[in-house]
């Protein structure tokens, strides 16, 4: 599966969010998903390349009462687990790598195109607004595509 919709076959119990450097989009998605999904759902994040922690992520997550804690960006090679029911990619580079890695595996790869807020320029407030937009975009996708799907399956 390579579209933006979730597979209809099963409720994911383990989810990996992937982006370029695991510095902004994927750790933000990980924190949001952990808050929105049932406690038994394993959620992780990783990047294609090594990145540096971005302080604006802490700022915009704190605004909604969340944190990435002591998270440090990690690559796929640094993950403790290597099996996931679904991999949600947030950047083109991550999507291509995920498709290559899962070519012979029974794992669904879903692409959620998500803007890179580091391209924002201007005042601090304008830059933070770009990070908020990414946070809100990811929160909407997680709520509508992951949390809502799990709730529907529980009712069925």
């Amino acid at each position: 599966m390579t579209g933006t919709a979730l597979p209809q076959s099963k409720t994911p119990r383990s989810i990996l969010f992937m982006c370029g450097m695991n510095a902004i989009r994927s750790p933000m998605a990980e924190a949001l998903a952990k808050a929105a999904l049932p406690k038994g759902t394993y959620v992780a994040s990783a990047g294609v390349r090594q990145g540096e922690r971005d302080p604006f992520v802490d700022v915009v997550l704190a605004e909604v009462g969340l944190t990435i804690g002591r998270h440090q960006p990690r690559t796929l090679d640094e993950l403790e687990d290597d099996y996931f029911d679904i991999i949600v990619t947030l950047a083109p580079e991550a999507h291509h790598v995920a498709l290559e890695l899962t070519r012979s595996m029974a794992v669904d790869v879903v692409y959620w195109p998500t803007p890179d807020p580091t391209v924002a320029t201007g005042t601090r407030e304008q830059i933070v607004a770009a990070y908020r937009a990414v946070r809100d975009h990811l929160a909407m996708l997680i709520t509508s595509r992951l949390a809502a799907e799990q709730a529907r399956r529980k009712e069925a």
Side-chain angles (χ1 to χ4, degrees):
M1 158 143 306
T2 60
T4 59
L6 286 181
Q8 297 300 311
S9 58
K10 61 184 181 230
T11 302
R13 290 194 172 86
S14 58
I15 302 163
L16 174 66
F17 289 98
M18 275 180 64
C19 67
M21 294 187 287
N22 192 227
I24 300 168
R25 293 170 283 190
S26 58
M28 208 183 283
E30 178 182 357
L32 292 162
K34 284 179 176 177
L37 299 175
K39 295 294 180 216
T41 307
Y42 179 74
V43 181
S45 65
V48 174
R49 293 171 277 112
Q50 188 62 47
E52 305 253 337
R53 187 168 169 147
D54 188 312
F56 286 119
V57 172
D58 297 304
V59 170
V60 299
L61 285 177
E63 291 176 348
V64 294
L66 297 175
T67 179
I68 57 171
R70 295 183 182 165
H71 171 85
Q72 289 300 317
R74 62 183 169 247
T75 63
L76 291 168
D77 294 336
E78 296 171 284
L79 285 175
E80 293 175 22
D81 293 310
D82 63 357
Y83 178 79
F84 295 90
D85 293 326
I86 187 168
I87 298 173
V88 178
T89 59
L90 306 171
E93 176 185 20
H95 189 66
H96 294 298
V97 169
L99 290 175
E100 276 300 310
L101 287 174
T102 61
R103 187 173 284 194
S104 63
M105 299 166 65
V107 61
D108 292 308
V109 177
V110 179
Y111 181 40
W112 293 353
T114 304
D116 179 358
T118 64
V119 300
T121 59
T123 65
R124 181 183 191 281
E125 185 54 36
Q126 290 169 320
I127 293 168
V128 171
Y131 281 74
R132 282 187 193 114
V134 168
R135 177 200 64 205
D136 296 346
H137 169 75
L138 290 169
M140 183 273 302
L141 289 169
I142 289 164
T143 301
S144 66
R145 296 186 183 166
L146 292 175
E149 185 63 27
Q150 287 195 346
R152 275 194 296 277
R153 293 194 190 282
K154 266 189 181 173
E155 293 170 2

